[in-house]
Amino acid sequence: MVVLAGVSVIVFALVHLVPGDPIRLALGTRFDQATYDALRARSGLDQPLVEQFFGWFGRALGGDLGVSFRSGETVTSLIAERLPATLTLAFASILVALLIAVPLGTISALRPRSFVDRVATVLSQIGISVPEFWMAIVLILVFAGTLGWLPSGGYVPLTEDPGAWAQRLLLPAVVTGVVSGSVITRFVRSSVLEALGADHVRTAQAKGLPQRQVFTWHVLRNALLPLVTVTGVQLAYLLSGVVVVEIVFSWPGLGQLALQAVQARDYPVLQGAILLFAVVFLLINLVVDLLYTAIDPRIRR
C-alpha cells in the first residue's frame, strides 16, 4: 500500500508536468470559453493540484479511476477492453521465451566452451541487440508479405475465432518472446553452471548417482531461483505493454492505450494505466516470493 501511494504521487506529479492542455486537445480548435470552463470544472482541473490528487487517489482506492477526457468512457472500461489482448500477448510471449531459454541455456551450460555454447551465446546476443521493431517488420515482410502464411497484424478475440486469434498472435509473440528468451537464456546458463560447481553436486556425482538424477534433483532445483526471478521481471514488463510491438502489429494492448493517453494528455487514462502497471509488478513480485518458498525449503524456515 505504501509503494502504491508513493507511485501514485510520482505518477500524478509527472503527468501534470507534461506540457499541454488536455481540455483544449479534447475540444479541438473550435470552442467557446463557457464550454471550456464547464469541461474544466467537470474534470476537476480547476481545483488545486493537492485537492485533485487526494480526490483521484481516494476514488482510485474504491475502484473508480475516473473518466477519459478524450472519449468520455470510464478508465476502468477502457483498461478492461484492452486487458485481454495484453494478457494474451504477455503469456504467449513468456511461453515462447521459456521454450527458447531453458533448453538453450541448459545445453550451453552442460557443454561450456563448446560449439553449441558459442552458438547459444551469439544467438542470445543477437536477440538482445536486434531492435524489436526491425525484427517485427522483417517477420511481417517474410511471413505476411512474401509467403502470405500469416496476417500482418490486428487482433481477434479467442471467443470469436480461435484460428484467427492464433494466427494474429504468432508473430508478435515470437518477436517479444525472442527478446525475452535471449535475456533469460543467459541467466539459465549462468545459474546452471553455478549449480554444477556446487559441493553437493560433486558429492552426488562422486557417489555414482546417474547424471539425469543429479541434474534433476540437485542442479535444476537450485538453478530455478534465478530463473523464476528473471521470468517474473520479464512477465511484468510484458504485462505493462510492449508499445513498439503493439504499434507495428496494430495490437490493441495497454501499452498502446498509455501512449495514446500521453499524446492526448488524457490524465485519468494515463494515471490509471500506470497505477495498474505498478500493481502488476507488486503482484508478480509477491508470486515470485511465494514460489521461492516452494522451491527452496530453507527460505521457508
Short mmCIF file of all heavy atoms in Angstrom, two decimals, residues 104 108 114-130 178 182 185-186 189:
data_model
loop_
_atom_site.label_atom_id
_atom_site.label_comp_id
_atom_site.label_asym_id
_atom_site.label_seq_id
_atom_site.Cartn_x
_atom_site.Cartn_y
_atom_site.Cartn_z
N LEU A 104 18.10 -24.08 -24.45
CA LEU A 104 19.33 -23.50 -24.97
C LEU A 104 20.33 -23.17 -23.86
O LEU A 104 21.52 -23.48 -23.96
CB LEU A 104 19.00 -22.24 -25.78
CG LEU A 104 20.09 -21.69 -26.71
CD1 LEU A 104 20.46 -22.73 -27.75
CD2 LEU A 104 19.60 -20.42 -27.40
N SER A 108 23.84 -25.21 -23.19
CA SER A 108 25.04 -24.37 -23.20
C SER A 108 25.85 -24.53 -21.92
O SER A 108 27.08 -24.57 -21.95
CB SER A 108 24.63 -22.92 -23.41
OG SER A 108 25.75 -22.07 -23.40
N SER A 114 31.96 -25.12 -25.74
CA SER A 114 31.81 -25.99 -26.91
C SER A 114 31.21 -25.18 -28.06
O SER A 114 30.87 -23.99 -27.92
CB SER A 114 30.91 -27.18 -26.58
OG SER A 114 29.59 -26.74 -26.31
N PHE A 115 31.05 -25.82 -29.21
CA PHE A 115 30.45 -25.15 -30.35
C PHE A 115 29.01 -24.75 -30.05
O PHE A 115 28.57 -23.66 -30.40
CB PHE A 115 30.50 -26.09 -31.57
CG PHE A 115 29.81 -25.54 -32.79
CD1 PHE A 115 30.39 -24.53 -33.53
CD2 PHE A 115 28.54 -26.02 -33.16
CE1 PHE A 115 29.73 -24.00 -34.65
CE2 PHE A 115 27.90 -25.50 -34.28
CZ PHE A 115 28.49 -24.49 -35.02
N VAL A 116 28.28 -25.64 -29.37
CA VAL A 116 26.89 -25.34 -29.00
C VAL A 116 26.83 -24.12 -28.08
O VAL A 116 25.96 -23.25 -28.22
CB VAL A 116 26.23 -26.56 -28.34
CG1 VAL A 116 24.83 -26.22 -27.86
CG2 VAL A 116 26.19 -27.74 -29.30
N ASP A 117 27.76 -24.06 -27.13
CA ASP A 117 27.79 -22.94 -26.19
C ASP A 117 28.06 -21.63 -26.91
O ASP A 117 27.42 -20.60 -26.64
CB ASP A 117 28.87 -23.20 -25.14
CG ASP A 117 28.91 -22.11 -24.08
OD1 ASP A 117 27.87 -21.48 -23.84
OD2 ASP A 117 29.99 -21.91 -23.48
N ARG A 118 28.99 -21.65 -27.86
CA ARG A 118 29.32 -20.43 -28.62
C ARG A 118 28.13 -19.98 -29.48
O ARG A 118 27.83 -18.79 -29.57
CB ARG A 118 30.56 -20.66 -29.47
CG ARG A 118 31.80 -20.97 -28.67
CD ARG A 118 33.01 -21.20 -29.55
NE ARG A 118 34.10 -21.82 -28.81
CZ ARG A 118 34.93 -21.18 -28.00
NH1 ARG A 118 34.79 -19.87 -27.83
NH2 ARG A 118 35.89 -21.82 -27.37
N VAL A 119 27.47 -20.95 -30.10
CA VAL A 119 26.30 -20.61 -30.93
C VAL A 119 25.19 -20.01 -30.06
O VAL A 119 24.56 -19.01 -30.43
CB VAL A 119 25.79 -21.85 -31.68
CG1 VAL A 119 24.44 -21.57 -32.34
CG2 VAL A 119 26.79 -22.30 -32.73
N ALA A 120 24.95 -20.62 -28.89
CA ALA A 120 23.92 -20.10 -27.99
C ALA A 120 24.24 -18.69 -27.51
O ALA A 120 23.35 -17.83 -27.42
CB ALA A 120 23.77 -21.04 -26.79
N THR A 121 25.52 -18.44 -27.23
CA THR A 121 25.94 -17.11 -26.78
C THR A 121 25.72 -16.07 -27.88
O THR A 121 25.21 -14.97 -27.63
CB THR A 121 27.42 -17.13 -26.37
OG1 THR A 121 27.61 -18.10 -25.34
CG2 THR A 121 27.85 -15.77 -25.87
N VAL A 122 26.10 -16.43 -29.11
CA VAL A 122 25.93 -15.50 -30.24
C VAL A 122 24.44 -15.23 -30.49
O VAL A 122 24.03 -14.08 -30.69
CB VAL A 122 26.60 -16.07 -31.50
CG1 VAL A 122 26.23 -15.24 -32.72
CG2 VAL A 122 28.11 -16.11 -31.33
N LEU A 123 23.63 -16.29 -30.48
CA LEU A 123 22.19 -16.13 -30.73
C LEU A 123 21.52 -15.26 -29.66
O LEU A 123 20.68 -14.41 -29.97
CB LEU A 123 21.51 -17.50 -30.80
CG LEU A 123 21.84 -18.36 -32.03
CD1 LEU A 123 21.14 -19.71 -31.92
CD2 LEU A 123 21.42 -17.65 -33.32
N SER A 124 21.89 -15.48 -28.40
CA SER A 124 21.30 -14.67 -27.33
C SER A 124 21.73 -13.22 -27.44
O SER A 124 20.93 -12.30 -27.18
CB SER A 124 21.67 -15.24 -25.96
OG SER A 124 23.07 -15.17 -25.75
N GLN A 125 22.98 -12.98 -27.84
CA GLN A 125 23.45 -11.61 -28.02
C GLN A 125 22.71 -10.92 -29.17
O GLN A 125 22.33 -9.75 -29.07
CB GLN A 125 24.95 -11.61 -28.29
CG GLN A 125 25.58 -10.21 -28.39
CD GLN A 125 25.42 -9.43 -27.10
OE1 GLN A 125 25.66 -9.97 -26.02
NE2 GLN A 125 25.01 -8.18 -27.20
N ILE A 126 22.49 -11.67 -30.25
CA ILE A 126 21.74 -11.11 -31.39
C ILE A 126 20.30 -10.80 -30.96
O ILE A 126 19.75 -9.74 -31.29
CB ILE A 126 21.74 -12.09 -32.57
CG1 ILE A 126 23.15 -12.21 -33.15
CG2 ILE A 126 20.76 -11.64 -33.65
CD1 ILE A 126 23.28 -13.27 -34.22
N GLY A 127 19.68 -11.72 -30.21
CA GLY A 127 18.30 -11.50 -29.77
C GLY A 127 18.14 -10.28 -28.89
O GLY A 127 17.13 -9.57 -28.94
N ILE A 128 19.16 -10.00 -28.06
CA ILE A 128 19.11 -8.82 -27.19
C ILE A 128 19.37 -7.54 -27.98
O ILE A 128 18.76 -6.49 -27.71
CB ILE A 128 20.15 -8.97 -26.05
CG1 ILE A 128 19.76 -10.13 -25.14
CG2 ILE A 128 20.26 -7.68 -25.24
CD1 ILE A 128 20.81 -10.47 -24.11
N SER A 129 20.27 -7.63 -28.97
CA SER A 129 20.73 -6.43 -29.68
C SER A 129 19.78 -5.96 -30.77
O SER A 129 19.67 -4.76 -31.04
CB SER A 129 22.11 -6.69 -30.29
OG SER A 129 23.04 -7.12 -29.29
N VAL A 130 19.11 -6.89 -31.45
CA VAL A 130 18.26 -6.51 -32.58
C VAL A 130 17.02 -5.76 -32.07
O VAL A 130 16.33 -6.24 -31.17
CB VAL A 130 17.82 -7.76 -33.36
CG1 VAL A 130 16.78 -7.41 -34.41
CG2 VAL A 130 19.03 -8.42 -34.02
N VAL A 178 11.35 -13.86 -28.42
CA VAL A 178 12.77 -13.99 -28.75
C VAL A 178 13.62 -13.03 -27.92
O VAL A 178 14.68 -13.40 -27.40
CB VAL A 178 12.99 -13.74 -30.26
CG1 VAL A 178 14.46 -13.52 -30.57
CG2 VAL A 178 12.47 -14.92 -31.07
N SER A 182 16.14 -14.37 -25.07
CA SER A 182 17.58 -14.11 -25.13
C SER A 182 18.11 -13.65 -23.78
O SER A 182 19.21 -14.03 -23.37
CB SER A 182 17.86 -13.05 -26.20
OG SER A 182 17.41 -13.48 -27.47
N THR A 185 17.97 -16.74 -21.37
CA THR A 185 18.96 -17.76 -21.71
C THR A 185 20.26 -17.54 -20.94
O THR A 185 20.87 -18.49 -20.42
CB THR A 185 19.26 -17.75 -23.22
OG1 THR A 185 18.07 -18.07 -23.93
CG2 THR A 185 20.34 -18.75 -23.58
N ARG A 186 20.70 -16.31 -20.83
CA ARG A 186 21.94 -16.01 -20.12
C ARG A 186 21.84 -16.34 -18.64
O ARG A 186 22.78 -16.86 -18.04
CB ARG A 186 22.31 -14.54 -20.31
CG ARG A 186 22.62 -14.17 -21.75
CD ARG A 186 23.20 -12.79 -21.85
NE ARG A 186 23.82 -12.58 -23.14
CZ ARG A 186 24.71 -11.62 -23.38
NH1 ARG A 186 25.06 -10.80 -22.40
NH2 ARG A 186 25.25 -11.48 -24.57
N ARG A 189 21.91 -20.20 -18.23
CA ARG A 189 23.26 -20.73 -18.39
C ARG A 189 24.11 -20.49 -17.15
O ARG A 189 24.77 -21.39 -16.63
CB ARG A 189 23.93 -20.09 -19.61
CG ARG A 189 25.35 -20.61 -19.88
CD ARG A 189 26.00 -19.86 -21.04
NE ARG A 189 27.31 -20.39 -21.33
CZ ARG A 189 28.42 -20.03 -20.68
NH1 ARG A 189 28.34 -19.14 -19.69
NH2 ARG A 189 29.59 -20.56 -21.00
#
